[in-house]
């Protein structure tokens, strides 16, 4: 039942994931990558940012170490995502944790965290959401690859705005009130200030880490005062 709830509650967001996947599929077709190759990459890597980097460097003479470094740099935010899931996955076995973490994307993570805070979420809910997002991602990338010539350019250009709207809605769901104001402001301000001086997505990781530290510090202060 929790798996089904996770799948269904994540499905509205997964529609956007599929549309964004179509962009990757179109780009892959332009690089000469087949639909089957894209699908295998989807399932084994399952990271949109990493897959875009791989395609961007598809015909570039780059070492494996350089490619791995680039992918790690842009996905460092998942260190914080994984840490935030610790309470939800505390009772899961190591093997199950690894499977679930492989299926974690920004979208199903946000939906699962909202459900967990409301007492409805758990490992099965997260798993259902992950399967939903992966299915949408595979479907989108394969469809974009197979029908690349038929995808309107206007649709590709509008996806950034659509994703901003989706994550704004998800952020509202994660908001718990005034207690979140200072950590969120710290994370946002830190990321904005660090963006011009740091490469890749380091500004996102460090800004998020600063916000998390503020949240931990405030929690400790509250517990001491009690």
């Amino acid at each position: 039942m929790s798996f089904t709830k996770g799948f269904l509650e994540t499905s509205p967001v997964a529609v956007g994931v599929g549309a964004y996947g179509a962009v990757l599929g179109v780009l892959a077709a332009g690089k000469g990558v087949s639909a089957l190759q894209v699908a295998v990459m989807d399932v084994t890597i399952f990271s949109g940012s990493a897959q875009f980097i791989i395609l961007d460097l598809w015909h570039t003479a780059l070492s494996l170490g350089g490619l791995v470094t680039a992918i790690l740099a842009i996905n460092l935010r998942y260190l914080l995502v994984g840490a935030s899931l610790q309470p939800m996955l505390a009772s899961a076995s190591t093997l199950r944790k690894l499977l679930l973490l492989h299926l974690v994307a920004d979208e199903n993570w946000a939906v699962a965290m909202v459900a967990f805070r409301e007492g409805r979420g758990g490992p099965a809910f997260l798993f259902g959401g992950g399967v939903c997002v992966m299915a949408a991602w595979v479907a989108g990338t394969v469809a974009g690859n197979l029908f690349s010539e038929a995808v309107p350019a206007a649709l590709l250009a509008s996806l950034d705005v659509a994703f901003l709207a989706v994550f704004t809605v998800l952020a509202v769901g994660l908001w718990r009130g005034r207690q979140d104001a200072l950590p969120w402001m710290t994370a946002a301000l830190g990321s904005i200030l660090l963006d011009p001086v740091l490469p890749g997505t380091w500004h996102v990781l460090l800004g998020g880490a600063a916000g998390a530290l503020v949240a931990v510090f405030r929690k400790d202060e509250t517990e001491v005062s009690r």
Side-chain angles (χ1 to χ4, degrees), residues 159-176:
L159 287 175
D160 285 342
V161 177
F163 264 77
L164 177 60
V166 168
F167 278 103
T168 300
V169 173
L170 291 175
V172 171
L174 289 169
W175 176 261
R176 296 178 298 177

Side-chain angles (χ1 to χ4, degrees), residues 85-211:
L85 289 171
Q86 194 279 331
M88 187 187 303
L89 305 180
S91 61
S93 66
T94 300
L95 183 61
R96 192 179 186 193
K97 285 179 182 177
L98 290 174
L99 172 62
L100 290 172
L101 289 173
H102 177 64
L103 291 173
V104 169
D106 296 325
E107 295 81 10
N108 68 303
W109 165 78
V111 174
M113 288 300 294
V114 171
F116 183 70
R117 288 178 178 177
E118 295 175 353
R120 302 182 294 104
F125 188 101
L126 180 66
F127 182 49
V131 170
C132 180
V133 170
M134 177 175 279
W137 181 247
V138 173
T141 56
V142 170
N145 185 278
L146 293 175
F147 306 104
S148 57
E149 296 182 0
V151 178
L155 172 62
L156 302 181
S158 67
L159 287 175
D160 285 342
V161 177
F163 264 77
L164 177 60
V166 168
F167 278 103
T168 300
V169 173
L170 291 175
V172 171
L174 289 169
W175 176 261
R176 296 178 298 177
R178 292 176 57 187
Q179 68 193 77
D180 283 338
L182 185 58
W184 284 36
M185 289 176 61
T186 302
L189 184 60
S191 297
I192 292 171
L193 293 177
L194 293 173
D195 184 23
V197 297
L198 293 177
T201 56
W202 279 97
H203 63 288
V204 177
L205 177 70
L206 295 180

